[in-house]
């Protein structure tokens, strides 16, 4: 009997599917997947409705994306990062950021090329590199502050290195890379002629005292960087699956050549709505940060109620909690225990590390706080059972 291809044999089921199914089975409060349980602004939804009721948005959009949305992406890069982006040649609209990252890998990485991944990484990165025939090279961030070691990073670069895949602000740690860290990476990339695939989907989810620096804005980096963004994260519409990739046209040509044969085009009415979203003023982003600053305080109450410890995240809507004071097992065992006995679902971050480096996360779990205040308060009440137990 025929079976599936060997290239997908090692992948298994994503940790998000496993946790979601287990959470549903036990009716747990789900602080696992980064899926908000509330919608983004109604006016953006109204723009999608208007597009659906129009006379053109229910058919294919142009493969590279709607001109209005590509113009919005380009304008945004100029306003926030002073990067000069040509919407006609430098931007591709993708079916979410995950497909954007995958198209970038497929369009820029050849079989045998090495791709550096800083751990913990988003779980789609490694399968993407492997399906392109690339070789993942892992550099871990170290707890409790989740910083990488300069010597370890330097040692990962060699003449076989084709690309480095970055994620800042970082999921799952909540770290925001400093300008000095990014400059170090940029210097290594220039020295070794390496491409950067920069996943910056949480670019507007940063908290006081921290600033997101786009690595493409550093000297000499635009021509060797593709930057990935997400409407799901920036505008709170994860179900629309609208992302984008921008960069130098020589690199974007590679991304587009892969993109056109992966999905060809993306959701047309959602693109219309996201193009509208890019016309919102700075007040939108300020309100967005204020919303999640409050929710960050609520998730810290969840962690405190459980008797766990955590460092406040610098960005994203994720936080890593250390459970070593309340549970004598690894992160997978703790997650199962919390779902089955406590009624709260989290994600075991060992899924975001290579086998060699999983011990860095063995006493931690990832909480998502893109949830309603009521959900977070209910989770805090349930997590008190962990402390008392």
């Amino acid at each position: 009997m025929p079976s599936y291809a060997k290239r997908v044999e090692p992948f298994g089921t994503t940790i998000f599917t496993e946790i979601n199914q287990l959470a549903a089975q036990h009716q747990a409060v789900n602080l696992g997947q980064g899926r908000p349980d509330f919608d983004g602004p109604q006016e953006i939804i109204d723009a999608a409705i208007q597009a659906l009721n129009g006379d053109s948005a229910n058919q294919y959009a142009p493969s590279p994306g709607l001109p209005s949305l590509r113009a919005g992406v380009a304008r945004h890069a100029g306003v926030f990062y002073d990067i000069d982006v040509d919407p006609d040649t430098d931007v591709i609209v993708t079916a979410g950021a995950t497909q954007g990252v995958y198209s970038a890998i497929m369009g820029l990485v050849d079989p045998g090329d090495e791709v550096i991944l800083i751990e913990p990484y988003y779980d789609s990165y490694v399968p993407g590199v492997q399906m392109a025939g690339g070789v993942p090279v892992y550099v871990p961030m170290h707890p409790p502050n989740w910083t990488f070691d300069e010597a370890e990073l330097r040692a990962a670069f060699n003449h076989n290195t084709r690309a480095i895949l970055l994620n800042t602000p970082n999921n799952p740690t909540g770290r925001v890379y400093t300008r000095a860290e990014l400059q170090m990476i940029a210097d290594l990339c220039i020295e070794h002629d390496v491409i950067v695939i920069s996943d910056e989907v949480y670019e507007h989810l940063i908290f006081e005292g921290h600033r997101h620096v786009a690595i493409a804005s550093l000297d000499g980096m635009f021509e060797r960087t593709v930057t990935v963004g997400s409407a799901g994260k920036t505008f709170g519409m994860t179900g629309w699956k609208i992302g984008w990739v921008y960069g130098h046209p020589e690199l974007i040509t590679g991304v587009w050549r892969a993109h056109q044969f992966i999905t060809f085009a993306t959701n047309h009415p959602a693109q219309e709505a996201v193009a509208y979203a890019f016309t919102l003023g700075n007040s939108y982003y300020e309100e967005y940060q204020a919303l999640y600053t409050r929710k960050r305080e609520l998730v810290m109450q969840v962690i405190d109620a459980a008797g766990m410890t955590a460092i406040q995240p610098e960005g994203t809507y994720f936080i890593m909690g250390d459970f070593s004071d309340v549970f004598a097992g690894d992160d997978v065992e703790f997650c199962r225990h919390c779902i089955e006995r406590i009624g709260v679902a989290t994600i075991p971050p060992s899924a975001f590390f290579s086998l060699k480096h999983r011990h860095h996360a063995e006493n931690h779990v990832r909480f998502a706080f893109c949830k309603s205040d009521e959900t977070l308060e209910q989770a805090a009440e349930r997590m008190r059972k962990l402390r008392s137990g």
Side-chain angles (χ1 to χ4, degrees):
M1 176 179 172
S3 187
Y4 44 76
K6 288 184 173 58
R7 75 170 61 88
V8 301
E9 189 172 12
F11 298 161
T13 303
T14 72
I15 190 62
F16 302 109
T17 298
E18 291 183 13
I19 293 297
N20 284 341
Q21 290 175 347
L22 195 61
Q25 178 183 342
H26 292 275
Q27 297 182 316
V29 176
N30 196 338
L31 303 189
Q33 187 178 17
R35 176 185 181 275
D37 59 0
F38 55 93
D39 287 334
Q42 182 62 45
E43 60 187 307
I44 303 177
I45 297 173
D46 290 341
I49 294 170
Q50 183 177 354
L52 285 165
N53 288 324
D55 58 3
S56 62
N58 295 307
Q59 309 304 328
Y60 289 126
S63 182
L66 290 181
S68 57
L69 178 49
R70 292 156 70 194
V73 171
R75 185 171 59 251
H76 176 274
V79 169
F80 285 95
Y81 310 119
D82 198 26
I83 300 174
D84 185 13
V85 174
D86 185 331
D88 295 325
T89 60
D90 299 358
V91 184
I92 298 294
V93 178
T94 59
T98 299
Q99 190 251 313
V101 170
Y102 181 65
S103 294
I105 294 169
M106 295 301 291
L108 301 172
V109 174
D110 286 319
D113 286 345
E114 292 186 1
V115 179
I116 297 171
L117 303 173
I118 297 180
E119 303 169 293
Y121 45 72
Y122 183 62
D123 70 338
S124 76
Y125 295 171
V126 173
V129 171
Q130 292 174 334
M131 284 192 282
V135 180
V137 175
Y138 303 103
V139 177
M141 289 197 286
H142 299 269
N145 294 320
W146 301 108
T147 54
F148 54 80
D149 180 86
E150 180 177 350
E152 291 177 339
L153 181 64
R154 288 185 180 278
F157 282 81
N158 61 66
H159 67 278
N160 293 319
T161 307
R162 172 64 170 171
I164 181 170
L165 219 169
L166 300 182
N167 175 214
T168 181
N170 179 259
N171 169 19
T173 66
R175 269 296 319 283
V176 176
Y177 290 175
T178 65
R179 177 177 286 273
E181 288 173 320
L182 291 170
Q183 189 63 62
M184 180 200 313
I185 294 169
D187 291 343
L188 287 166
C189 290
I190 292 170
E191 177 184 348
H192 294 274
D193 195 25
V194 167
I195 294 168
V196 178
I197 301 171
S198 189
D199 180 349
E200 301 180 13
V201 298
Y202 299 102
E203 61 188 318
H204 289 291
L205 264 179
I206 48 177
F207 302 112
E208 71 284 343
H210 301 281
R211 177 171 174 257
H212 172 62
V213 177
I215 194 168
S217 69
L218 302 182
D219 288 346
M221 290 306 294
F222 179 74
E223 57 265 37
R224 64 177 64 255
T225 302
V226 293
T227 303
V228 182
S230 166
K233 304 304 186 293
T234 299
F235 301 114
M237 308 294 189
T238 62
W240 290 3
K241 294 299 291 180
I242 296 294
W244 51 85
V245 181
Y246 69 81
H248 189 280
E250 185 68 18
L251 301 180
I252 291 300
T253 296
V255 178
W256 178 72
R257 287 183 178 180
H259 163 80
Q260 65 181 333
F261 294 114
I262 295 169
T263 188
F264 181 71
T266 60
N267 186 314
H268 192 153
Q271 285 194 61
E272 297 273 10
V274 177
Y276 167 78
F278 270 115
T279 68
L280 300 177
N282 283 348
S283 61
Y284 167 75
Y285 302 102
E286 293 166 0
E287 292 167 4
Y288 185 60
Q289 290 172 353
L291 171 71
Y292 277 103
T293 297
R294 187 181 78 252
K295 291 186 182 301
R296 184 181 62 163
E297 299 306 317
L298 289 175
V299 80
M300 290 298 292
Q301 293 175 24
V302 173
I303 291 169
D304 182 66
M308 298 168 59
T309 59
I311 295 175
Q312 278 198 338
E314 300 166 352
T316 78
Y317 43 56
F318 302 111
I319 186 170
M320 294 274 270
D322 184 336
F323 59 79
S324 55
D325 289 340
V326 294
F327 188 82
D330 65 23
D331 61 327
V332 174
E333 293 167 333
F334 179 80
C335 285
R336 182 172 287 274
H337 173 78
C338 272
I339 291 172
E340 296 177 352
R341 302 297 179 86
I342 307 299
V344 175
T346 60
I347 295 291
S350 60
F352 310 138
F353 283 85
S354 62
L355 187 61
K356 179 181 179 181
H357 297 140
R358 281 184 183 171
H359 63 280
H360 290 301
E362 62 186 359
N363 295 323
H364 291 80
V365 289
R366 189 197 78 171
F367 294 85
F369 54 95
C370 50
K371 310 295 177 180
S372 69
D373 293 359
E374 293 77 14
T375 297
L376 293 169
E377 289 163 359
Q378 185 181 11
E381 184 63 31
R382 293 188 180 193
M383 290 298 279
R384 289 189 178 91
K385 293 186 290 183
L386 185 65
R387 183 197 288 267
S388 62

